[in-house]
Amino acid sequence: ANVDPSQGANVDPSLQGAAHGDRRIRSVPTARDGGSSSSPQAASGPALVLDKGEWDGLPDEFFCPITLEPMVDPVLAADGFTYEREAVEEWLLLGHRSSPRTGLALAHRTLTPNLALRAVIHDAFRARKATGQ
C-alpha cells in the first residue's frame, strides 16, 4: 500500500511514524501456528519479518493510522478503528482521551485484540515469505 504521512489522519505529529525509521516488522506466531495469541512479547518460536521494501501491495487496512506501518498486534479502540497496540497504548499513556484518528472523545480506554485482522495480516506475512515477494 502506498501510505503517505502527509495523507494520514488527524494523528498527533509526535506519534506519527515516530522513531521507526527502517525498523523491520515482526509477525509473532499465533496459537493457531504453535505460538501464543495473548501478546507478541509472550510468543515463542520464529517470528516473521517484513522489510520496508516488502510493504508494497499490502492492503491499507494492514497499516496502523498512527505509525503508518503494518500492524503486528492490532487492537480495536472505542472509536471503532484498529491500531497497533504499542502505538495506541503510548497515545493513551500520554494522557490523550480522544481518538487518534478522529479527535473525538473516547467513550472508554479499553483495547480489544482484533484477532481476525491479526490472523489475516500474519497469513499475508507468511505467504509473502513463502513466495519470496
Side-chain angles (χ1 to χ4, degrees):
N2 295 327
V3 179
D4 178 2
S6 66
Q7 308 268 330
N10 293 331
V11 176
D12 183 331
S14 68
L15 288 179
Q16 190 171 28
H20 295 294
D22 289 326
R23 185 180 82 178
R24 299 171 80 180
I25 300 300
R26 276 182 4 108
S27 175
V28 179
T30 62
R32 232 179 26 181
D33 49 26
S36 166
S37 62
S38 60
S39 81
Q41 293 76 18
S44 61
L48 296 174
V49 176
L50 285 184
D51 292 316
K52 200 168 192 172
E54 297 174 295
W55 297 359
D56 289 340
L58 289 176
D60 291 341
E61 294 78 16
F62 287 13
F63 291 81
C64 173
I66 296 173
T67 65
L68 303 178
E69 295 183 358
M71 292 180 279
V72 174
D73 188 13
V75 293
L76 186 64
D79 61 1
F81 290 99
T82 297
Y83 303 94
E84 176 60 35
R85 178 184 299 279
E86 187 176 319
V88 74
E89 283 179 347
E90 182 179 344
W91 172 264
L92 296 171
L93 285 173
L94 289 172
H96 295 282
R97 299 195 178 281
S98 61
S99 162
R101 184 87 187 229
T102 68
L104 299 174
L106 292 171
H108 56 80
R109 295 165 52 111
T110 302
L111 301 174
T112 304
N114 191 333
L115 300 176
L117 181 58
R118 179 181 169 150
V120 171
I121 291 171
H122 290 215
D123 287 347
F125 282 14
R126 277 191 293 277
R128 281 182 178 251
K129 286 299 177 185
T131 62
Q133 290 187 17

PDB file of all heavy atoms in Angstrom, residues 81-119:
ATOM      1  N   PHE A  81     -11.867   2.136  15.371  1.00  0.00           N
ATOM      2  CA  PHE A  81     -10.711   1.968  14.497  1.00  0.00           C
ATOM      3  C   PHE A  81      -9.715   1.003  15.125  1.00  0.00           C
ATOM      4  O   PHE A  81      -9.652   0.850  16.346  1.00  0.00           O
ATOM      5  CB  PHE A  81     -10.032   3.319  14.220  1.00  0.00           C
ATOM      6  CG  PHE A  81     -10.852   4.225  13.353  1.00  0.00           C
ATOM      7  CD1 PHE A  81     -11.605   5.233  13.919  1.00  0.00           C
ATOM      8  CD2 PHE A  81     -10.893   4.054  11.975  1.00  0.00           C
ATOM      9  CE1 PHE A  81     -12.386   6.070  13.132  1.00  0.00           C
ATOM     10  CE2 PHE A  81     -11.669   4.877  11.183  1.00  0.00           C
ATOM     11  CZ  PHE A  81     -12.409   5.890  11.760  1.00  0.00           C
ATOM     12  N   THR A  82      -8.917   0.387  14.279  1.00  0.00           N
ATOM     13  CA  THR A  82      -7.897  -0.555  14.727  1.00  0.00           C
ATOM     14  C   THR A  82      -6.529   0.112  14.634  1.00  0.00           C
ATOM     15  O   THR A  82      -6.231   0.806  13.663  1.00  0.00           O
ATOM     16  CB  THR A  82      -7.930  -1.829  13.870  1.00  0.00           C
ATOM     17  OG1 THR A  82      -9.202  -2.467  14.054  1.00  0.00           O
ATOM     18  CG2 THR A  82      -6.847  -2.810  14.258  1.00  0.00           C
ATOM     19  N   TYR A  83      -5.728  -0.124  15.679  1.00  0.00           N
ATOM     20  CA  TYR A  83      -4.386   0.455  15.786  1.00  0.00           C
ATOM     21  C   TYR A  83      -3.402  -0.616  16.212  1.00  0.00           C
ATOM     22  O   TYR A  83      -3.792  -1.631  16.785  1.00  0.00           O
ATOM     23  CB  TYR A  83      -4.362   1.562  16.863  1.00  0.00           C
ATOM     24  CG  TYR A  83      -5.353   2.659  16.638  1.00  0.00           C
ATOM     25  CD1 TYR A  83      -6.609   2.613  17.234  1.00  0.00           C
ATOM     26  CD2 TYR A  83      -5.045   3.753  15.836  1.00  0.00           C
ATOM     27  CE1 TYR A  83      -7.536   3.622  17.029  1.00  0.00           C
ATOM     28  CE2 TYR A  83      -5.960   4.771  15.631  1.00  0.00           C
ATOM     29  CZ  TYR A  83      -7.207   4.704  16.225  1.00  0.00           C
ATOM     30  OH  TYR A  83      -8.119   5.703  16.019  1.00  0.00           O
ATOM     31  N   GLU A  84      -2.123  -0.365  16.008  1.00  0.00           N
ATOM     32  CA  GLU A  84      -1.072  -1.205  16.576  1.00  0.00           C
ATOM     33  C   GLU A  84      -1.096  -0.983  18.088  1.00  0.00           C
ATOM     34  O   GLU A  84      -1.122   0.154  18.561  1.00  0.00           O
ATOM     35  CB  GLU A  84       0.297  -0.830  16.005  1.00  0.00           C
ATOM     36  CG  GLU A  84       1.457  -1.581  16.618  1.00  0.00           C
ATOM     37  CD  GLU A  84       1.372  -3.086  16.432  1.00  0.00           C
ATOM     38  OE1 GLU A  84       0.893  -3.571  15.384  1.00  0.00           O
ATOM     39  OE2 GLU A  84       1.795  -3.788  17.362  1.00  0.00           O
ATOM     40  N   ARG A  85      -1.132  -2.078  18.858  1.00  0.00           N
ATOM     41  CA  ARG A  85      -1.272  -1.985  20.309  1.00  0.00           C
ATOM     42  C   ARG A  85      -0.266  -1.010  20.936  1.00  0.00           C
ATOM     43  O   ARG A  85      -0.626  -0.136  21.705  1.00  0.00           O
ATOM     44  CB  ARG A  85      -1.121  -3.359  20.965  1.00  0.00           C
ATOM     45  CG  ARG A  85      -1.207  -3.298  22.494  1.00  0.00           C
ATOM     46  CD  ARG A  85      -0.971  -4.645  23.150  1.00  0.00           C
ATOM     47  NE  ARG A  85      -1.953  -5.632  22.755  1.00  0.00           N
ATOM     48  CZ  ARG A  85      -3.183  -5.736  23.284  1.00  0.00           C
ATOM     49  NH1 ARG A  85      -3.569  -4.904  24.217  1.00  0.00           N
ATOM     50  NH2 ARG A  85      -3.998  -6.681  22.855  1.00  0.00           N
ATOM     51  N   GLU A  86       0.993  -1.199  20.630  1.00  0.00           N
ATOM     52  CA  GLU A  86       2.036  -0.376  21.250  1.00  0.00           C
ATOM     53  C   GLU A  86       1.813   1.110  20.979  1.00  0.00           C
ATOM     54  O   GLU A  86       1.989   1.951  21.869  1.00  0.00           O
ATOM     55  CB  GLU A  86       3.402  -0.813  20.723  1.00  0.00           C
ATOM     56  CG  GLU A  86       4.573  -0.152  21.410  1.00  0.00           C
ATOM     57  CD  GLU A  86       5.899  -0.708  20.905  1.00  0.00           C
ATOM     58  OE1 GLU A  86       6.017  -1.924  20.709  1.00  0.00           O
ATOM     59  OE2 GLU A  86       6.809   0.114  20.711  1.00  0.00           O
ATOM     60  N   ALA A  87       1.408   1.461  19.770  1.00  0.00           N
ATOM     61  CA  ALA A  87       1.220   2.864  19.400  1.00  0.00           C
ATOM     62  C   ALA A  87       0.031   3.489  20.123  1.00  0.00           C
ATOM     63  O   ALA A  87       0.123   4.600  20.643  1.00  0.00           O
ATOM     64  CB  ALA A  87       1.036   2.984  17.884  1.00  0.00           C
ATOM     65  N   VAL A  88      -1.101   2.788  20.165  1.00  0.00           N
ATOM     66  CA  VAL A  88      -2.281   3.370  20.807  1.00  0.00           C
ATOM     67  C   VAL A  88      -2.133   3.369  22.324  1.00  0.00           C
ATOM     68  O   VAL A  88      -2.619   4.275  23.001  1.00  0.00           O
ATOM     69  CB  VAL A  88      -3.596   2.708  20.327  1.00  0.00           C
ATOM     70  CG1 VAL A  88      -3.777   1.330  20.918  1.00  0.00           C
ATOM     71  CG2 VAL A  88      -4.795   3.598  20.604  1.00  0.00           C
ATOM     72  N   GLU A  89      -1.419   2.370  22.869  1.00  0.00           N
ATOM     73  CA  GLU A  89      -1.162   2.394  24.312  1.00  0.00           C
ATOM     74  C   GLU A  89      -0.309   3.606  24.674  1.00  0.00           C
ATOM     75  O   GLU A  89      -0.548   4.266  25.683  1.00  0.00           O
ATOM     76  CB  GLU A  89      -0.490   1.100  24.773  1.00  0.00           C
ATOM     77  CG  GLU A  89      -1.450  -0.052  24.875  1.00  0.00           C
ATOM     78  CD  GLU A  89      -0.806  -1.363  25.300  1.00  0.00           C
ATOM     79  OE1 GLU A  89       0.451  -1.466  25.284  1.00  0.00           O
ATOM     80  OE2 GLU A  89      -1.561  -2.290  25.651  1.00  0.00           O
ATOM     81  N   GLU A  90       0.687   3.904  23.846  1.00  0.00           N
ATOM     82  CA  GLU A  90       1.517   5.091  24.079  1.00  0.00           C
ATOM     83  C   GLU A  90       0.661   6.355  24.008  1.00  0.00           C
ATOM     84  O   GLU A  90       0.797   7.257  24.835  1.00  0.00           O
ATOM     85  CB  GLU A  90       2.650   5.161  23.058  1.00  0.00           C
ATOM     86  CG  GLU A  90       3.567   6.347  23.277  1.00  0.00           C
ATOM     87  CD  GLU A  90       4.717   6.397  22.282  1.00  0.00           C
ATOM     88  OE1 GLU A  90       5.002   5.382  21.620  1.00  0.00           O
ATOM     89  OE2 GLU A  90       5.333   7.462  22.174  1.00  0.00           O
ATOM     90  N   TRP A  91      -0.229   6.422  23.021  1.00  0.00           N
ATOM     91  CA  TRP A  91      -1.149   7.549  22.858  1.00  0.00           C
ATOM     92  C   TRP A  91      -1.951   7.762  24.148  1.00  0.00           C
ATOM     93  O   TRP A  91      -2.058   8.873  24.650  1.00  0.00           O
ATOM     94  CB  TRP A  91      -2.074   7.266  21.671  1.00  0.00           C
ATOM     95  CG  TRP A  91      -3.206   8.213  21.470  1.00  0.00           C
ATOM     96  CD1 TRP A  91      -4.485   8.054  21.897  1.00  0.00           C
ATOM     97  CD2 TRP A  91      -3.182   9.454  20.765  1.00  0.00           C
ATOM     98  NE1 TRP A  91      -5.255   9.118  21.510  1.00  0.00           N
ATOM     99  CE2 TRP A  91      -4.479   9.995  20.812  1.00  0.00           C
ATOM    100  CE3 TRP A  91      -2.186  10.155  20.099  1.00  0.00           C
ATOM    101  CZ2 TRP A  91      -4.800  11.201  20.213  1.00  0.00           C
ATOM    102  CZ3 TRP A  91      -2.517  11.365  19.503  1.00  0.00           C
ATOM    103  CH2 TRP A  91      -3.809  11.872  19.571  1.00  0.00           C
ATOM    104  N   LEU A  92      -2.501   6.683  24.675  1.00  0.00           N
ATOM    105  CA  LEU A  92      -3.306   6.770  25.894  1.00  0.00           C
ATOM    106  C   LEU A  92      -2.446   7.108  27.113  1.00  0.00           C
ATOM    107  O   LEU A  92      -2.873   7.885  27.972  1.00  0.00           O
ATOM    108  CB  LEU A  92      -4.078   5.470  26.107  1.00  0.00           C
ATOM    109  CG  LEU A  92      -5.122   5.144  25.032  1.00  0.00           C
ATOM    110  CD1 LEU A  92      -5.661   3.734  25.220  1.00  0.00           C
ATOM    111  CD2 LEU A  92      -6.238   6.173  25.013  1.00  0.00           C
ATOM    112  N   LEU A  93      -1.244   6.546  27.196  1.00  0.00           N
ATOM    113  CA  LEU A  93      -0.343   6.834  28.313  1.00  0.00           C
ATOM    114  C   LEU A  93       0.087   8.299  28.339  1.00  0.00           C
ATOM    115  O   LEU A  93       0.398   8.840  29.401  1.00  0.00           O
ATOM    116  CB  LEU A  93       0.888   5.932  28.276  1.00  0.00           C
ATOM    117  CG  LEU A  93       0.660   4.492  28.712  1.00  0.00           C
ATOM    118  CD1 LEU A  93       1.908   3.650  28.461  1.00  0.00           C
ATOM    119  CD2 LEU A  93       0.268   4.428  30.177  1.00  0.00           C
ATOM    120  N   LEU A  94       0.101   8.929  27.177  1.00  0.00           N
ATOM    121  CA  LEU A  94       0.438  10.350  27.114  1.00  0.00           C
ATOM    122  C   LEU A  94      -0.709  11.225  27.630  1.00  0.00           C
ATOM    123  O   LEU A  94      -0.586  12.446  27.667  1.00  0.00           O
ATOM    124  CB  LEU A  94       0.809  10.755  25.682  1.00  0.00           C
ATOM    125  CG  LEU A  94       2.150  10.224  25.192  1.00  0.00           C
ATOM    126  CD1 LEU A  94       2.336  10.510  23.704  1.00  0.00           C
ATOM    127  CD2 LEU A  94       3.293  10.832  25.992  1.00  0.00           C
ATOM    128  N   GLY A  95      -1.807  10.581  28.012  1.00  0.00           N
ATOM    129  CA  GLY A  95      -2.927  11.312  28.607  1.00  0.00           C
ATOM    130  C   GLY A  95      -4.041  11.685  27.647  1.00  0.00           C
ATOM    131  O   GLY A  95      -5.011  12.336  28.047  1.00  0.00           O
ATOM    132  N   HIS A  96      -3.927  11.269  26.411  1.00  0.00           N
ATOM    133  CA  HIS A  96      -4.987  11.575  25.445  1.00  0.00           C
ATOM    134  C   HIS A  96      -6.251  10.812  25.812  1.00  0.00           C
ATOM    135  O   HIS A  96      -6.194   9.643  26.176  1.00  0.00           O
ATOM    136  CB  HIS A  96      -4.558  11.190  24.028  1.00  0.00           C
ATOM    137  CG  HIS A  96      -3.408  11.981  23.523  1.00  0.00           C
ATOM    138  ND1 HIS A  96      -3.525  13.256  23.055  1.00  0.00           N
ATOM    139  CD2 HIS A  96      -2.090  11.667  23.429  1.00  0.00           C
ATOM    140  CE1 HIS A  96      -2.341  13.701  22.675  1.00  0.00           C
ATOM    141  NE2 HIS A  96      -1.449  12.750  22.899  1.00  0.00           N
ATOM    142  N   ARG A  97      -7.376  11.469  25.706  1.00  0.00           N
ATOM    143  CA  ARG A  97      -8.671  10.843  25.949  1.00  0.00           C
ATOM    144  C   ARG A  97      -9.547  10.920  24.694  1.00  0.00           C
ATOM    145  O   ARG A  97     -10.745  10.717  24.754  1.00  0.00           O
ATOM    146  CB  ARG A  97      -9.373  11.491  27.136  1.00  0.00           C
ATOM    147  CG  ARG A  97      -8.580  11.347  28.419  1.00  0.00           C
ATOM    148  CD  ARG A  97      -9.414  11.646  29.645  1.00  0.00           C
ATOM    149  NE  ARG A  97      -8.659  11.461  30.865  1.00  0.00           N
ATOM    150  CZ  ARG A  97      -8.399  10.298  31.444  1.00  0.00           C
ATOM    151  NH1 ARG A  97      -8.824   9.196  30.894  1.00  0.00           N
ATOM    152  NH2 ARG A  97      -7.717  10.233  32.557  1.00  0.00           N
ATOM    153  N   SER A  98      -8.883  11.202  23.583  1.00  0.00           N
ATOM    154  CA  SER A  98      -9.580  11.331  22.305  1.00  0.00           C
ATOM    155  C   SER A  98      -9.028  10.312  21.311  1.00  0.00           C
ATOM    156  O   SER A  98      -7.946   9.763  21.497  1.00  0.00           O
ATOM    157  CB  SER A  98      -9.398  12.739  21.744  1.00  0.00           C
ATOM    158  OG  SER A  98      -8.026  12.996  21.530  1.00  0.00           O
ATOM    159  N   SER A  99      -9.779  10.111  20.257  1.00  0.00           N
ATOM    160  CA  SER A  99      -9.386   9.193  19.196  1.00  0.00           C
ATOM    161  C   SER A  99      -8.179   9.750  18.453  1.00  0.00           C
ATOM    162  O   SER A  99      -8.190  10.912  18.043  1.00  0.00           O
ATOM    163  CB  SER A  99     -10.550   9.023  18.219  1.00  0.00           C
ATOM    164  OG  SER A  99     -10.109   8.487  16.992  1.00  0.00           O
ATOM    165  N   PRO A 100      -7.154   8.927  18.234  1.00  0.00           N
ATOM    166  CA  PRO A 100      -6.023   9.390  17.418  1.00  0.00           C
ATOM    167  C   PRO A 100      -6.442   9.646  15.974  1.00  0.00           C
ATOM    168  O   PRO A 100      -5.816  10.418  15.271  1.00  0.00           O
ATOM    169  CB  PRO A 100      -5.011   8.248  17.475  1.00  0.00           C
ATOM    170  CG  PRO A 100      -5.505   7.280  18.467  1.00  0.00           C
ATOM    171  CD  PRO A 100      -6.937   7.585  18.756  1.00  0.00           C
ATOM    172  N   ARG A 101      -7.513   9.023  15.553  1.00  0.00           N
ATOM    173  CA  ARG A 101      -7.958   9.112  14.156  1.00  0.00           C
ATOM    174  C   ARG A 101      -8.918  10.273  13.921  1.00  0.00           C
ATOM    175  O   ARG A 101      -8.791  10.992  12.941  1.00  0.00           O
ATOM    176  CB  ARG A 101      -8.631   7.787  13.788  1.00  0.00           C
ATOM    177  CG  ARG A 101      -9.070   7.646  12.371  1.00  0.00           C
ATOM    178  CD  ARG A 101      -7.939   7.112  11.527  1.00  0.00           C
ATOM    179  NE  ARG A 101      -8.316   7.128  10.137  1.00  0.00           N
ATOM    180  CZ  ARG A 101      -8.176   6.126   9.325  1.00  0.00           C
ATOM    181  NH1 ARG A 101      -7.662   5.010   9.753  1.00  0.00           N
ATOM    182  NH2 ARG A 101      -8.518   6.244   8.076  1.00  0.00           N
ATOM    183  N   THR A 102      -9.882  10.456  14.840  1.00  0.00           N
ATOM    184  CA  THR A 102     -10.927  11.466  14.622  1.00  0.00           C
ATOM    185  C   THR A 102     -10.804  12.681  15.524  1.00  0.00           C
ATOM    186  O   THR A 102     -11.383  13.723  15.229  1.00  0.00           O
ATOM    187  CB  THR A 102     -12.325  10.862  14.846  1.00  0.00           C
ATOM    188  OG1 THR A 102     -12.463  10.547  16.245  1.00  0.00           O
ATOM    189  CG2 THR A 102     -12.546   9.631  13.988  1.00  0.00           C
ATOM    190  N   GLY A 103     -10.114  12.537  16.647  1.00  0.00           N
ATOM    191  CA  GLY A 103     -10.016  13.628  17.608  1.00  0.00           C
ATOM    192  C   GLY A 103     -11.211  13.703  18.553  1.00  0.00           C
ATOM    193  O   GLY A 103     -11.220  14.510  19.476  1.00  0.00           O
ATOM    194  N   LEU A 104     -12.212  12.864  18.342  1.00  0.00           N
ATOM    195  CA  LEU A 104     -13.393  12.867  19.206  1.00  0.00           C
ATOM    196  C   LEU A 104     -13.095  12.111  20.506  1.00  0.00           C
ATOM    197  O   LEU A 104     -12.232  11.237  20.544  1.00  0.00           O
ATOM    198  CB  LEU A 104     -14.576  12.207  18.490  1.00  0.00           C
ATOM    199  CG  LEU A 104     -15.033  12.895  17.196  1.00  0.00           C
ATOM    200  CD1 LEU A 104     -16.108  12.067  16.505  1.00  0.00           C
ATOM    201  CD2 LEU A 104     -15.529  14.309  17.490  1.00  0.00           C
ATOM    202  N   ALA A 105     -13.827  12.459  21.562  1.00  0.00           N
ATOM    203  CA  ALA A 105     -13.628  11.815  22.860  1.00  0.00           C
ATOM    204  C   ALA A 105     -13.885  10.320  22.766  1.00  0.00           C
ATOM    205  O   ALA A 105     -14.827   9.880  22.096  1.00  0.00           O
ATOM    206  CB  ALA A 105     -14.549  12.437  23.897  1.00  0.00           C
ATOM    207  N   LEU A 106     -13.040   9.543  23.438  1.00  0.00           N
ATOM    208  CA  LEU A 106     -13.228   8.095  23.504  1.00  0.00           C
ATOM    209  C   LEU A 106     -14.191   7.775  24.647  1.00  0.00           C
ATOM    210  O   LEU A 106     -14.049   8.328  25.743  1.00  0.00           O
ATOM    211  CB  LEU A 106     -11.898   7.385  23.758  1.00  0.00           C
ATOM    212  CG  LEU A 106     -10.875   7.441  22.625  1.00  0.00           C
ATOM    213  CD1 LEU A 106      -9.534   6.891  23.085  1.00  0.00           C
ATOM    214  CD2 LEU A 106     -11.377   6.682  21.405  1.00  0.00           C
ATOM    215  N   ALA A 107     -15.151   6.893  24.419  1.00  0.00           N
ATOM    216  CA  ALA A 107     -16.121   6.506  25.447  1.00  0.00           C
ATOM    217  C   ALA A 107     -15.438   5.735  26.576  1.00  0.00           C
ATOM    218  O   ALA A 107     -15.885   5.776  27.720  1.00  0.00           O
ATOM    219  CB  ALA A 107     -17.234   5.661  24.828  1.00  0.00           C
ATOM    220  N   HIS A 108     -14.360   5.027  26.254  1.00  0.00           N
ATOM    221  CA  HIS A 108     -13.588   4.276  27.244  1.00  0.00           C
ATOM    222  C   HIS A 108     -12.195   4.058  26.682  1.00  0.00           C
ATOM    223  O   HIS A 108     -11.928   4.352  25.522  1.00  0.00           O
ATOM    224  CB  HIS A 108     -14.265   2.934  27.578  1.00  0.00           C
ATOM    225  CG  HIS A 108     -14.512   2.072  26.382  1.00  0.00           C
ATOM    226  ND1 HIS A 108     -13.529   1.300  25.807  1.00  0.00           N
ATOM    227  CD2 HIS A 108     -15.625   1.882  25.631  1.00  0.00           C
ATOM    228  CE1 HIS A 108     -14.021   0.657  24.762  1.00  0.00           C
ATOM    229  NE2 HIS A 108     -15.301   0.999  24.625  1.00  0.00           N
ATOM    230  N   ARG A 109     -11.309   3.546  27.514  1.00  0.00           N
ATOM    231  CA  ARG A 109      -9.913   3.340  27.103  1.00  0.00           C
ATOM    232  C   ARG A 109      -9.568   1.855  26.969  1.00  0.00           C
ATOM    233  O   ARG A 109      -8.402   1.488  26.904  1.00  0.00           O
ATOM    234  CB  ARG A 109      -8.989   4.039  28.095  1.00  0.00           C
ATOM    235  CG  ARG A 109      -9.185   5.552  28.069  1.00  0.00           C
ATOM    236  CD  ARG A 109      -8.568   6.264  29.261  1.00  0.00           C
ATOM    237  NE  ARG A 109      -7.187   5.947  29.499  1.00  0.00           N
ATOM    238  CZ  ARG A 109      -6.175   6.782  29.333  1.00  0.00           C
ATOM    239  NH1 ARG A 109      -6.398   8.000  28.929  1.00  0.00           N
ATOM    240  NH2 ARG A 109      -4.942   6.397  29.595  1.00  0.00           N
ATOM    241  N   THR A 110     -10.575   1.018  26.881  1.00  0.00           N
ATOM    242  CA  THR A 110     -10.368  -0.421  26.729  1.00  0.00           C
ATOM    243  C   THR A 110      -9.953  -0.726  25.293  1.00  0.00           C
ATOM    244  O   THR A 110     -10.559  -0.221  24.348  1.00  0.00           O
ATOM    245  CB  THR A 110     -11.662  -1.191  27.076  1.00  0.00           C
ATOM    246  OG1 THR A 110     -12.037  -0.863  28.405  1.00  0.00           O
ATOM    247  CG2 THR A 110     -11.470  -2.688  26.928  1.00  0.00           C
ATOM    248  N   LEU A 111      -8.936  -1.561  25.152  1.00  0.00           N
ATOM    249  CA  LEU A 111      -8.472  -2.002  23.840  1.00  0.00           C
ATOM    250  C   LEU A 111      -8.780  -3.488  23.697  1.00  0.00           C
ATOM    251  O   LEU A 111      -8.477  -4.277  24.587  1.00  0.00           O
ATOM    252  CB  LEU A 111      -6.963  -1.770  23.699  1.00  0.00           C
ATOM    253  CG  LEU A 111      -6.508  -0.328  23.852  1.00  0.00           C
ATOM    254  CD1 LEU A 111      -4.985  -0.244  23.840  1.00  0.00           C
ATOM    255  CD2 LEU A 111      -7.106   0.553  22.769  1.00  0.00           C
ATOM    256  N   THR A 112      -9.390  -3.854  22.574  1.00  0.00           N
ATOM    257  CA  THR A 112      -9.786  -5.234  22.328  1.00  0.00           C
ATOM    258  C   THR A 112      -8.947  -5.800  21.189  1.00  0.00           C
ATOM    259  O   THR A 112      -8.891  -5.194  20.114  1.00  0.00           O
ATOM    260  CB  THR A 112     -11.283  -5.295  21.940  1.00  0.00           C
ATOM    261  OG1 THR A 112     -12.042  -4.669  22.966  1.00  0.00           O
ATOM    262  CG2 THR A 112     -11.736  -6.725  21.740  1.00  0.00           C
ATOM    263  N   PRO A 113      -8.280  -6.932  21.410  1.00  0.00           N
ATOM    264  CA  PRO A 113      -7.498  -7.523  20.317  1.00  0.00           C
ATOM    265  C   PRO A 113      -8.375  -7.768  19.088  1.00  0.00           C
ATOM    266  O   PRO A 113      -9.486  -8.278  19.204  1.00  0.00           O
ATOM    267  CB  PRO A 113      -7.008  -8.853  20.903  1.00  0.00           C
ATOM    268  CG  PRO A 113      -7.044  -8.650  22.382  1.00  0.00           C
ATOM    269  CD  PRO A 113      -8.217  -7.732  22.635  1.00  0.00           C
ATOM    270  N   ASN A 114      -7.889  -7.368  17.932  1.00  0.00           N
ATOM    271  CA  ASN A 114      -8.585  -7.619  16.671  1.00  0.00           C
ATOM    272  C   ASN A 114      -7.977  -8.903  16.093  1.00  0.00           C
ATOM    273  O   ASN A 114      -7.096  -8.871  15.242  1.00  0.00           O
ATOM    274  CB  ASN A 114      -8.418  -6.434  15.724  1.00  0.00           C
ATOM    275  CG  ASN A 114      -9.314  -6.524  14.520  1.00  0.00           C
ATOM    276  OD1 ASN A 114      -9.685  -7.615  14.105  1.00  0.00           O
ATOM    277  ND2 ASN A 114      -9.664  -5.388  13.952  1.00  0.00           N
ATOM    278  N   LEU A 115      -8.468 -10.030  16.616  1.00  0.00           N
ATOM    279  CA  LEU A 115      -7.891 -11.333  16.286  1.00  0.00           C
ATOM    280  C   LEU A 115      -8.083 -11.711  14.821  1.00  0.00           C
ATOM    281  O   LEU A 115      -7.202 -12.334  14.220  1.00  0.00           O
ATOM    282  CB  LEU A 115      -8.456 -12.406  17.203  1.00  0.00           C
ATOM    283  CG  LEU A 115      -8.186 -12.191  18.696  1.00  0.00           C
ATOM    284  CD1 LEU A 115      -8.870 -13.270  19.525  1.00  0.00           C
ATOM    285  CD2 LEU A 115      -6.702 -12.146  18.980  1.00  0.00           C
ATOM    286  N   ALA A 116      -9.222 -11.334  14.250  1.00  0.00           N
ATOM    287  CA  ALA A 116      -9.470 -11.675  12.847  1.00  0.00           C
ATOM    288  C   ALA A 116      -8.472 -10.952  11.940  1.00  0.00           C
ATOM    289  O   ALA A 116      -7.859 -11.568  11.062  1.00  0.00           O
ATOM    290  CB  ALA A 116     -10.903 -11.322  12.460  1.00  0.00           C
ATOM    291  N   LEU A 117      -8.292  -9.653  12.175  1.00  0.00           N
ATOM    292  CA  LEU A 117      -7.340  -8.896  11.356  1.00  0.00           C
ATOM    293  C   LEU A 117      -5.915  -9.384  11.595  1.00  0.00           C
ATOM    294  O   LEU A 117      -5.135  -9.515  10.655  1.00  0.00           O
ATOM    295  CB  LEU A 117      -7.447  -7.395  11.639  1.00  0.00           C
ATOM    296  CG  LEU A 117      -6.511  -6.508  10.821  1.00  0.00           C
ATOM    297  CD1 LEU A 117      -6.729  -6.694   9.322  1.00  0.00           C
ATOM    298  CD2 LEU A 117      -6.694  -5.044  11.218  1.00  0.00           C
ATOM    299  N   ARG A 118      -5.591  -9.688  12.832  1.00  0.00           N
ATOM    300  CA  ARG A 118      -4.259 -10.194  13.149  1.00  0.00           C
ATOM    301  C   ARG A 118      -3.969 -11.478  12.361  1.00  0.00           C
ATOM    302  O   ARG A 118      -2.897 -11.633  11.773  1.00  0.00           O
ATOM    303  CB  ARG A 118      -4.131 -10.454  14.646  1.00  0.00           C
ATOM    304  CG  ARG A 118      -2.779 -11.001  15.030  1.00  0.00           C
ATOM    305  CD  ARG A 118      -2.704 -11.273  16.514  1.00  0.00           C
ATOM    306  NE  ARG A 118      -1.508 -12.040  16.785  1.00  0.00           N
ATOM    307  CZ  ARG A 118      -0.831 -11.977  17.903  1.00  0.00           C
ATOM    308  NH1 ARG A 118      -1.240 -11.212  18.870  1.00  0.00           N
ATOM    309  NH2 ARG A 118       0.235 -12.703  18.061  1.00  0.00           N
ATOM    310  N   ALA A 119      -4.934 -12.393  12.329  1.00  0.00           N
ATOM    311  CA  ALA A 119      -4.740 -13.650  11.597  1.00  0.00           C
ATOM    312  C   ALA A 119      -4.547 -13.392  10.104  1.00  0.00           C
ATOM    313  O   ALA A 119      -3.673 -14.008   9.474  1.00  0.00           O
ATOM    314  CB  ALA A 119      -5.933 -14.579  11.830  1.00  0.00           C
TER     315      ALA A 119
END
